[in-house]
Amino acid sequence: SLPTWILAMARLFAWIRVDGLEHLRELRGPVVFAANHQSHLDTPAILAALPARWRYHVAVAMAKEFFKAHFFPAQFGWRARVTNRLNYYLAALFFNAFPLPQREAGARHTLRYIGELFGEGTSLLIYPEGKRTMAGEIQPFRAGIGMIGARLGVPVVPVRLEGLDRVLHQQWKMARPGRVRVAFGAPLRLDGEDYEALARQVERAVREL
């Protein structure tokens, strides 16, 4: 699906300029790609920017709380359950996505699952802000990215996105063509147990791109 229509449609709307690919040339996976979050088009744009050897070996972490109607159906009506469940399965099918809890119990189990992905040679794409921007600003990164990088011992590649909020803003129903920049930074090695400080380190690296 990626080469046949998803990336083609993404490139139709997002006119992508890619910077920093030199940081990936000598790098071997698995890694964590940590990006700021602007739009539902972020993942297709990043996958379109990645070389093929990375693109088809990436799993995308999506906020479990975004799919409440799927995981907690008793709290919602049938229409919300059907729509949310369909969105969940489409994300898993087309983008190799999996739920990452942000506030509830289950983070330890998810960490084990990410470790299994790394053991298979699959890299991780994560949006540490936990939500999309409203006006292009970068919001504080959550501590989970620090925990993943430090506990699992894989390089963290900062990724800066620009312009995607002007291609598909979260309040819009339809995308509008526009220029987009995807920049990859030098990989970081995170060490220590102050996960919030490590998250700020990743955030600074993203801001500087």
Side-chain angles (χ1 to χ4, degrees):
S1 296
L2 285 178
T4 55
W5 65 276
I6 291 178
L7 297 186
M9 290 193 64
R11 293 186 180 112
L12 180 65
F13 289 98
W15 305 335
I16 303 172
R17 189 188 95 193
V18 185
D19 295 326
L21 287 179
E22 66 274 10
H23 296 301
L24 304 180
R25 289 190 186 120
E26 303 301 324
L27 189 63
R28 296 292 176 266
V31 304
V32 177
F33 294 102
N36 60 306
H37 202 5
Q38 295 192 324
S39 166
H40 280 320
L41 276 178
D42 290 354
T43 295
I46 292 173
L47 294 178
L50 281 171
R53 74 179 182 91
W54 291 101
R55 180 183 303 147
Y56 300 106
H57 301 281
V58 174
V60 182
M62 55 184 177
K64 183 177 180 180
E65 288 75 10
F66 187 78
F67 298 97
K68 283 185 178 180
H70 170 69
F71 288 103
F72 308 104
Q75 303 175 15
F76 298 87
W78 71 267
R79 191 183 302 274
R81 293 198 303 269
V82 170
T83 302
N84 197 250
R85 185 160 294 169
L86 178 62
N87 289 336
Y88 174 82
Y89 285 121
L90 288 176
L93 176 65
F94 291 131
F95 298 109
N96 200 24
F98 68 96
L100 181 69
Q102 295 176 323
R103 292 177 293 274
E104 62 184 66
R108 184 172 298 179
H109 174 76
T110 305
L111 196 65
R112 286 198 299 268
Y113 177 70
I114 295 173
E116 293 174 6
L117 291 174
F118 290 160
E120 297 170 356
T122 300
S123 294
L124 173 67
L125 171 57
I126 188 172
Y127 300 100
E129 292 165 288
K131 57 183 179 179
R132 289 165 290 163
T133 184
M134 285 297 294
E137 75 280 7
I138 297 179
Q139 302 166 98
F141 280 19
R142 301 189 181 192
I145 182 61
M147 180 177 67
I148 292 170
R151 294 271 299 270
L152 298 179
V154 299
V156 176
V157 177
V159 183
R160 176 70 180 267
L161 300 175
E162 294 179 310
L164 281 156
D165 59 308
R166 297 188 296 274
V167 173
L168 182 59
H169 193 274
Q170 62 173 292
Q171 294 180 334
W172 299 351
K173 294 183 179 180
M174 183 62 186
R176 306 172 185 174
R179 299 187 184 278
V180 169
R181 177 174 176 262
V182 180
F184 299 96
L188 307 172
R189 287 284 185 178
L190 304 184
D191 185 42
E193 297 184 356
D194 188 344
Y195 301 137
E196 292 187 358
L198 294 176
R200 290 194 295 270
Q201 180 183 343
V202 179
E203 180 187 336
R204 284 194 301 270
V206 171
R207 290 179 178 274
E208 291 171 359
L209 289 174

